[in-house]
Amino acid sequence: MAFILPNLSPTILHTTKDKSSIASQASYLPSPPKPTSSLSPLTKLEPPPVRVAQLNQAPPGSQDKQQRDDFYVNLGLAVRTLREDMPLLFTRELNYDIYRDDITFVDPLNKFTGIENYKLIFWALRFHGRILFREISLEVFRVWQPSENVILIRWNLRGVPRVPWEAKGEFQGTSRYKLDRNGKIYEHKVDNLAFNFPRQLKPAVSVLDLVAACPPSPNPTFSWSPVDAYSSSWVEFYRAVRGTLDHEGSSFAQDCLVTCS
């Protein structure tokens, strides 16, 4: 063997090296693309209908989560709006975006339904408040939530009657607002009503007692009896607001809603 190797031609060795080099380089070259089968345009561009339906389906529970999110957003808006609107009740119009169109207003003697009646109530409070009182304002004592869908507000109404023989008084109450699943207010109930006057003048009495002491009359009157000598303007204020709702269809009420609000 030893004597054969030296006799190998350099040309043969060079050729062998070139072949091995070419083979090694060929291993690094990219493979040619594989032929693809011809597909119809429908198969290429449009997924199967079943697949489209699966992609468009909402994940389970997403609608409930969205509704809960909307509820808390509207709840926060309702609380902020009530905090801002209540103290300015007698100076400007309320923001009615937080209420449903079929909202119900309830107090110990009355019940009204509909956003138009609700707007009329607060217009009547402003209108008759300016007529019967030199000064009238509302102070919010507390705002809290006894449950998730209920907002409670404890307020105090102060007024100085225009009648000179009547003393300044305070009219307290609680407003309870109920919210639906979307966070919109659908009921406003006023209760725990009481007149609070200075002790040396008159003890606190229920608003129902005062209204019962002054039976309804078509004309505003002021009683001179000792029972309600310090409360007639408050009673007339309550009756005037109630009377406005009784005559909501009259031209007087509708004209005043436009010109006096």
Side-chain angles (χ1 to χ4, degrees):
M1 261 327 261
F3 72 89
I4 294 176
L5 293 174
N7 294 328
L8 291 175
S9 172
T11 304
I12 296 174
L13 293 175
H14 180 71
T15 302
T16 305
K17 289 180 180 179
D18 290 344
K19 289 182 178 179
S20 62
S21 174
I22 292 172
S24 63
Q25 292 178 6
S27 63
Y28 293 101
L29 293 176
S31 302
K34 296 181 180 181
T36 58
S37 60
S38 60
L39 298 176
S40 65
L42 178 61
T43 308
K44 284 183 175 180
L45 301 178
E46 298 182 9
V50 176
R51 181 61 178 170
V52 173
Q54 291 176 353
L55 292 175
N56 292 337
Q57 258 185 351
S62 61
Q63 293 183 353
D64 293 340
K65 182 179 182 302
Q66 182 63 41
Q67 188 176 46
R68 296 299 296 170
D69 292 343
D70 293 342
F71 172 82
Y72 287 117
V73 170
N74 291 330
L75 171 63
L77 177 62
V79 172
R80 291 194 301 271
T81 301
L82 292 172
R83 284 183 181 274
E84 295 173 1
D85 282 356
M86 292 290 283
L88 302 176
L89 172 65
F90 293 96
T91 59
R92 74 177 190 188
E93 187 67 279
L94 304 184
N95 180 358
Y96 296 103
D97 294 338
I98 61 176
Y99 306 96
R100 277 189 355 195
D101 290 340
D102 60 346
I103 181 173
T104 299
F105 177 83
V106 183
D107 69 13
L109 297 179
N110 308 289
K111 181 177 181 179
F112 304 97
T113 301
I115 190 65
E116 295 304 322
N117 283 333
Y118 195 71
K119 292 178 180 179
L120 191 59
I121 290 171
F122 287 95
W123 170 85
L125 289 173
R126 292 192 301 274
F127 180 77
H128 295 291
R130 296 169 188 170
I131 292 177
L132 296 173
F133 296 90
R134 295 199 307 270
E135 298 177 12
I136 187 168
S137 62
L138 187 139
E139 179 184 4
V140 174
F141 284 159
R142 183 186 176 194
V143 180
W144 76 101
Q145 285 185 259
S147 61
E148 189 178 58
N149 63 333
V150 174
I151 301 173
L152 277 178
I153 299 181
R154 184 65 181 174
W155 44 263
N156 185 59
L157 181 62
R158 302 172 184 269
V160 180
R162 294 188 181 276
V163 181
W165 59 82
E166 293 187 32
K168 176 181 178 180
E170 298 183 2
F171 179 27
Q172 295 186 3
T174 301
S175 288
R176 180 186 300 268
Y177 300 89
K178 292 184 180 180
L179 295 87
D180 62 13
R181 296 180 61 185
N182 296 318
K184 294 289 186 177
I185 297 174
Y186 68 91
E187 181 181 283
H188 176 188
K189 183 178 182 181
V190 176
D191 53 15
N192 298 323
L193 302 177
F195 286 103
N196 295 325
F197 293 90
R199 291 185 179 181
Q200 65 270 23
L201 296 178
K202 184 178 178 63
V205 293
S206 168
V207 64
L208 300 180
D209 296 334
L210 292 174
V211 174
C214 295
S217 171
N219 299 317
T221 57
F222 299 95
S223 173
W224 292 83
S225 65
V227 175
D228 51 3
Y230 300 102
S231 61
S232 57
S233 288
W234 293 98
V235 174
E236 292 303 323
F237 182 46
Y238 185 90
R239 288 169 50 194
V241 174
R242 178 64 175 85
T244 301
L245 271 296
D246 288 339
H247 300 85
E248 59 177 324
S250 66
S251 58
F252 168 78
Q254 295 187 9
D255 292 342
C256 286
L257 279 174
V258 177
T259 60
C260 304
S261 58

